[in-house]
Amino acid sequence: MATPDGPDSNPGFDTSQPTIARVYDALLGGKDNFAADREGAALYLKYVPDAGRCAIENREALVKGVHYLVREAGIDQFLDIGSGLPTQKNTHEAAQEINPRARVAYVDNDPIVLAHGRALLATNNSTIVVTADLRDPQGILGNEEIKTHLDFSRPMALMIVGIHMHFHDDEKPDEWVRTIMDTLAPGSYLFITDFVDTGEPLQKGMERAGLESLGNGWIRTPERIEQHFLGMPLVPPGVDFLARWFPEDPDGDVPAAEDLEPYQRILMAGLAKKA
């Protein structure tokens, strides 16, 4: 467990700078973070006092999406990029509680995720953890562990949950995602959550917290978030606030957007299917 505060206590990791995975872990109440990460989390809490609840809601949306993909769409393979640390229920647990044979490949650019994940998943032969970066989609697609673990001739779900906001549009992150989706079989799905901009002050506060703590974390309009899905048809209810997003019951009784708490209007989710 990565609990020490000093950079010399774990020479394999640079603990003097916060990382996305570890700040998120700190916001979720995990223990796999260092002083710099907790300082980063504190900045989020300064500008968005309910930032921890946002992180929990994002993880709850991940579970909702995975449950739909397994139960309704019949997906049994997941490529989860920017997976972070498994502080709360993560993709493999959500999928395998419905289909124990579901296979998951986690990808993250933080080496502490690899170290912790492999220790945690030592007895789970259906789940692997790989160090790689969305910025290098060909590196992900060419990774031998991933190619062996997942069957690219069959549909799978590409998970880009809680990571798009950490890339500026100038980097063209949609093109990285497109490179991967173009390789996936017809019937595959793309699952995304992202920070939204509908003009509310707290949304701007989330962006400011990210830029000050991590140097990234941009908000986008709902229309821009829809463009992440590369023109593929969206699963109902489309792109919506996490608290209103129920792909297994899109016509259910959901709260009106104006009735949500301000922190519940910071993130949106969506799912799209490749024809």
Side-chain angles (χ1 to χ4, degrees):
M1 301 291 283
T3 53
D5 292 336
D8 295 332
S9 60
N10 204 328
F13 308 117
D14 178 8
T15 62
S16 64
Q17 298 295 321
T19 70
I20 297 166
R22 299 197 306 255
V23 169
Y24 188 50
D25 179 69
L27 286 170
L28 285 169
K31 302 183 186 305
D32 295 283
N33 52 75
F34 299 85
D37 307 305
R38 292 189 286 276
E39 290 168 8
L43 266 174
Y44 273 97
L45 294 170
K46 172 184 175 182
Y47 293 116
V48 183
D50 286 317
R53 296 175 75 178
C54 290
I56 291 170
E57 192 176 56
N58 190 60
R59 186 53 58 91
E60 290 173 347
L62 179 149
V63 172
K64 286 191 287 187
V66 171
H67 281 179
Y68 168 85
L69 287 163
V70 178
R71 196 152 37 211
E72 302 296 328
I75 294 295
D76 62 0
Q77 302 187 101
F78 295 82
L79 179 57
D80 187 341
I81 300 177
S83 56
L85 290 151
T87 305
Q88 304 285 337
K89 183 183 286 186
N90 214 334
T91 300
H92 74 284
E93 294 166 303
Q96 291 168 6
E97 68 185 2
I98 299 172
N99 180 358
R101 295 181 299 279
R103 302 180 74 81
V104 177
Y106 287 123
V107 176
D108 203 284
N109 66 358
D110 188 340
I112 201 172
V113 173
L114 176 69
H116 179 88
R118 285 193 168 167
L120 185 71
L121 298 166
T123 59
N124 186 326
N125 295 327
S126 297
T127 307
I128 62 169
V129 186
V130 172
T131 300
D133 197 311
L134 181 59
R135 294 179 181 88
D136 180 18
Q138 292 293 355
I140 293 171
L141 293 170
N143 183 280
E144 289 301 327
E145 279 192 86
I146 294 174
K147 288 164 62 178
T148 300
H149 191 70
L150 301 178
D151 181 355
F152 280 76
S153 70
R154 296 194 303 109
M156 69 178 73
L158 175 60
M159 313 272 291
I160 310 289
V161 175
I163 185 173
H164 253 296
M165 65 280 290
H166 299 294
F167 303 114
H168 194 277
D169 279 340
D170 288 348
E171 297 181 81
K172 300 183 178 179
D174 290 346
E175 294 309 306
W176 305 332
V177 174
R178 186 189 305 277
T179 296
I180 298 173
M181 286 303 303
D182 283 350
T183 305
L184 302 190
S188 294
Y189 286 79
L190 175 59
F191 180 13
I192 293 171
T193 67
D194 199 4
F195 288 161
V196 70
D197 179 7
T198 58
E200 298 191 33
L202 203 62
Q203 296 165 349
K204 258 321 210 192
M206 184 65 90
E207 181 176 72
R208 183 176 179 183
L211 293 175
E212 289 189 17
S213 63
L214 294 165
N216 55 63
W218 293 275
I219 57 177
R220 295 180 171 98
T221 65
E223 294 77 18
R224 177 67 190 93
I225 293 174
E226 285 193 17
Q227 291 174 2
H228 290 332
F229 293 94
L230 311 172
M232 295 184 295
L234 288 159
V235 173
V239 170
D240 209 336
F241 295 116
L242 304 189
R244 290 171 40 84
W245 188 73
F246 291 93
E248 286 198 275
D249 188 17
D251 299 319
D253 186 17
V254 299
E258 58 268 24
D259 292 336
L260 299 178
E261 295 291 332
Y263 81 89
Q264 294 178 304
R265 296 196 291 268
I266 288 177
L267 281 150
M268 283 188 168
L271 264 172
K273 184 178 182 180
K274 179 178 179 178

